[in-house]
């Protein structure tokens, strides 16, 4: 995990320090109700999930936080912006839609 991602999640009391990235191959033969991609690169690279009932894509307009430049505080600001945008999308589009 990227240290700045760990820090901004810790600000919300969420510890992701022991999480790790996983390749998609381990999920290809598993059934899913939904497959959701949140960035254009993932949407393009994401394989077809034949067991998925629904595939959703929503592109974030925010910059990729891993590519953020500037001071550490400026980089943290980008991580916070994306973290909060993801939270809003989850709250409003996935949980609150009729």
């Amino acid at each position: 995990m990227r240290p700045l991602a760990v820090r901004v999640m810790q600000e919300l009391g969420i510890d992701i320090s022991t999480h790790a990235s996983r390749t998609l191959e381990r999920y290809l033969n598993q059934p899913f109700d939904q497959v959701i991609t949140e960035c254009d690169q993932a949407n393009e690279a994401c394989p077809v999930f034949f067991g998925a009932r629904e595939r959703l894509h929503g592109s974030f307009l925010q910059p990729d936080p891993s590519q953020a430049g500037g001071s550490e505080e400026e980089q943290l600001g980008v991580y916070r912006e994306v973290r909060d945008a993801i939270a809003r999308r989850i709250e409003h589009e996935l949980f609150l839609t009729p």
Side-chain angles (χ1 to χ4, degrees):
M1 296 305 306
R2 295 185 182 273
L4 296 180
V6 172
R7 283 179 55 188
V8 300
M9 294 305 291
Q10 189 60 47
E11 292 172 358
L12 300 179
I14 300 170
D15 182 9
I16 63 168
S17 63
T18 60
H19 293 201
S21 296
R22 299 181 182 139
T23 63
L24 293 174
E25 285 76 24
R26 71 184 294 176
Y27 302 106
L28 291 179
N29 294 320
Q30 295 183 24
F32 291 95
D33 290 329
Q34 294 180 327
V35 172
I36 303 169
T37 53
E38 293 294 342
C39 71
D40 292 332
Q41 183 180 5
N43 188 44
E44 292 173 15
C46 188
V48 174
F49 283 85
F50 293 105
R53 293 183 187 167
E54 182 177 16
R55 190 167 189 282
L56 304 172
H57 173 68
S59 182
F60 281 104
L61 299 177
Q62 286 78 14
D64 179 348
S66 69
Q67 303 299 313
S71 69
E72 184 173 282
E73 194 56 40
E74 290 170 324
Q75 292 175 45
L76 282 167
V78 173
Y79 275 84
R80 289 180 186 116
E81 184 179 321
V82 173
R83 173 202 65 197
D84 296 344
I86 292 170
R88 284 190 301 274
R89 174 163 277 156
I90 291 169
E91 290 170 2
H92 295 288
E93 294 183 22
L94 298 180
F95 290 122
L96 299 179
T97 55

